[in-house]
Amino acid sequence: MIDKILSRPEFQTEPPVLVDVGASGELHARWKPFAKYAVCIAFDADDRDFGYVESESGHFRKLYTFNHIVTGTASESDTSDFYLTTSPHCSSLLRPRPDLIQEYAFAPKFEPTKVVQLKTRTLRSTLDSLQIKQVDWFKTDSQGTDLRLFRNLGDERTRQVLTAEFEPGIASIYEGEDKLYTVLQYMEETGSHWLAELLPKGSPRITPALLDSFSSQPLVKKFVLFSLKNSAVWGEMTYLNQFADEATLTQRNLLLGWVFATTLKQHGFALILTQKGKSRFSDPIFSEMESYSRRRIWGRVFGLGFWPEVVKKFDKLVGR
């Protein structure tokens, strides 16, 4: 059904647009069902030339990879301090404060090792240069600047985002970072999106010295860590568009919103979107989508949703 929807004319002229800030170089697992139909703009700074590469990716319809730091500041800046840390995944534009998390096992990962000057540009100017008017799925793991990056899209683009993923901090780790509660407050105030998922993530609350007191062997320490309960240090948040704004209620957006909701297994909300589509448009595709969503829900009622192969047979049986 996803292939059928995204093969429609609406997406030939306006393909789904995905933005990935802090791209790891791997395809985001949630994008696998529809990546080949989408345009992806990825930011992954490294030591290569700070331009961008446009390519026909094996994963995406088109991929733009920008090898520089993207910021959420209001004005363009040539360079900025970038704090390299013991773990590359913890490096940030913001100064790390491992002293604030010294009683957590993962504190050493945030120890600064070097401050370098890197070229920067704003997210908004990057999208403007590509003539991208709408971002459909916004994903960021920027180590402390998630909200300011999202806001830098501009009011019109943020309202039109259909899915947004953030990983803000709960505990303080960086100076001046965007915290989880500020994301909640901003999204509540704007009212354009609803919180579909909130997963606490973290590290065991034990000092590195106490962890070392159990054993000097890395493998043994891993088993000790595995035995300890994680404390909530950051959160993974996923928002979906409310589809309450008249400008969002286009046929293209409703179709794509259904694809995203279905991918996230939000089948109840997907069903709501089919009703919005049926009330506004005469296209029979919305009735097909409704039937699909109802089968997904019934499948989970009877436990079939946990066995994909059984669900496929169920689809054939009811004439999908």
Side-chain angles (χ1 to χ4, degrees):
M1 180 58 76
I2 288 175
D3 289 326
K4 182 175 182 178
I5 290 172
L6 295 181
S7 297
R8 289 168 57 95
E10 292 95 332
F11 300 104
Q12 300 305 310
T13 54
E14 291 185 78
V17 175
L18 318 174
V19 168
D20 190 355
V21 180
S24 63
E26 298 180 357
L27 173 63
H28 185 34
R30 289 177 161 180
W31 291 350
K32 287 181 180 179
F34 51 80
K36 64 183 179 182
Y37 301 100
V39 173
C40 179
I41 299 108
F43 300 90
D44 188 13
D46 57 21
D47 57 0
R48 294 175 290 175
D49 179 57
F50 286 92
Y52 75 87
V53 177
E54 178 183 346
S55 62
E56 301 293 335
S57 165
H59 294 309
F60 300 101
R61 176 174 171 176
K62 184 169 288 187
L63 171 65
Y64 296 92
T65 304
F66 285 82
N67 301 313
H68 59 240
I69 299 298
V70 63
T71 71
T73 55
S75 59
E76 196 72 51
S77 174
D78 290 334
T79 61
S80 181
D81 287 342
F82 189 74
Y83 296 86
L84 301 178
T85 53
T86 302
S87 170
H89 301 293
C90 302
S91 300
S92 176
L93 280 168
L94 306 179
R95 187 164 78 90
R97 292 290 305 277
D99 56 303
L100 299 177
I101 51 168
Q102 59 185 332
E103 292 186 353
Y104 290 89
F106 73 161
K109 293 183 177 182
F110 295 87
E111 287 292 340
T113 58
K114 188 179 181 181
V115 181
V116 295
Q117 286 278 314
L118 294 183
K119 265 192 172 181
T120 61
R121 64 185 297 169
T122 64
L123 180 57
R124 185 185 305 182
S125 67
T126 303
L127 296 174
D128 288 344
S129 69
L130 296 174
Q131 298 183 321
I132 300 293
K133 295 182 179 179
Q134 178 169 335
V135 173
D136 296 305
W137 192 313
F138 177 86
K139 171 185 171 290
T140 178
D141 181 12
S142 63
Q143 304 303 313
T145 64
D146 288 3
L147 181 57
R148 67 196 72 177
L149 286 172
F150 184 69
R151 297 185 68 169
N152 188 248
L153 291 174
D155 291 342
E156 185 175 349
R157 282 199 189 104
T158 56
R159 285 195 302 269
Q160 294 291 310
V161 168
L162 303 183
T163 302
E165 288 187 80
F166 307 99
E167 291 194 25
I170 297 172
S172 296
I173 301 179
Y174 301 97
E175 280 192 356
E177 69 185 283
D178 299 332
K179 303 289 284 295
L180 186 145
Y181 75 88
T182 61
V183 177
L184 284 170
Q185 182 179 23
Y186 173 79
M187 299 301 267
E188 176 69 20
E189 288 173 352
T190 58
S192 298
H193 298 79
W194 64 281
L195 184 59
E197 292 177 352
L198 175 56
L199 303 175
K201 298 288 183 176
S203 170
R205 182 105 185 198
I206 184 173
T207 65
L210 282 173
L211 181 61
D212 290 340
S213 71
F214 284 88
S215 175
S216 60
Q217 298 298 318
L219 182 60
V220 176
K221 285 196 287 186
K222 285 184 179 179
F223 279 112
V224 173
L225 278 174
F226 184 75
S227 73
L228 296 171
K229 184 176 181 179
N230 273 347
S231 301
V233 184
W234 75 92
E236 294 181 355
M237 312 174 76
T238 303
Y239 280 90
L240 293 177
N241 200 293
Q242 298 266 22
F243 284 87
D245 188 332
E246 193 68 23
T248 309
L249 288 165
T250 65
Q251 180 154 320
R252 175 202 179 268
N253 285 349
L254 284 166
L255 291 169
L256 190 54
W258 182 91
V259 168
F260 290 170
T262 300
T263 300
L264 295 170
K265 296 182 171 57
Q266 288 284 350
H267 300 302
F269 185 64
L271 194 59
I272 290 174
L273 295 182
T274 66
Q275 304 309 293
K276 290 179 182 287
K278 288 173 67 175
S279 69
R280 297 176 70 87
F281 306 102
S282 58
D283 197 317
I285 190 66
F286 289 105
S287 293
E288 293 184 49
M289 291 157 58
E290 177 182 6
S291 296
Y292 185 96
S293 294
R294 288 184 181 278
R295 293 202 302 273
R296 296 281 70 71
I297 293 170
W298 278 118
R300 295 191 70 82
V301 168
F302 294 110
L304 301 180
F306 300 102
W307 296 292
E309 291 305 315
V310 178
V311 172
K312 288 179 183 178
K313 292 180 180 178
F314 182 80
D315 286 341
K316 291 180 180 179
L317 182 65
V318 296
R320 176 190 171 191

